[in-house]
Amino acid sequence: MTNRIGNKDVAQQRSKEEKARIKRANKEMEAAKQAIARTKYRNEVKGRISAAQAAQAF
């Protein structure tokens, strides 16, 4: 649920430019997260824990 201003949600009060800016920022943030995940799990065998994860377990 979004915050409310009187009878309307805050999201309804946002301008088109602000909505576009937020959407663009969200896409950039998600792309950065995916890039980090790709480098982290690159060349790993499926179902097998990596050496770094095994070291953290102990």
Side-chain angles (χ1 to χ4, degrees), residues 24-42:
R24 196 168 40 250
N26 288 344
K27 285 182 181 179
E28 290 171 2
M29 194 170 24
E30 189 62 30
K33 284 182 188 177
Q34 287 180 356
I36 291 167
R38 275 192 204 102
T39 58
K40 185 177 180 182
Y41 297 110
R42 185 180 210 114

Side-chain angles (χ1 to χ4, degrees), residues 1 8 14-15 33 44 47 55 57:
M1 206 60 185
K8 294 191 174 186
R14 291 191 177 130
S15 65
K33 284 182 188 177
E44 297 246 344

Side-chain angles (χ1 to χ4, degrees), residues 1-36:
M1 206 60 185
T2 58
N3 295 333
R4 296 183 68 81
I5 304 172
N7 294 350
K8 294 191 174 186
D9 289 332
V10 172
Q12 291 175 315
Q13 298 299 315
R14 291 191 177 130
S15 65
K16 285 184 181 181
E17 295 84 23
E18 188 177 4
K19 288 177 185 175
R21 183 178 47 79
I22 290 169
K23 191 177 279 191
R24 196 168 40 250
N26 288 344
K27 285 182 181 179
E28 290 171 2
M29 194 170 24
E30 189 62 30
K33 284 182 188 177
Q34 287 180 356
I36 291 167

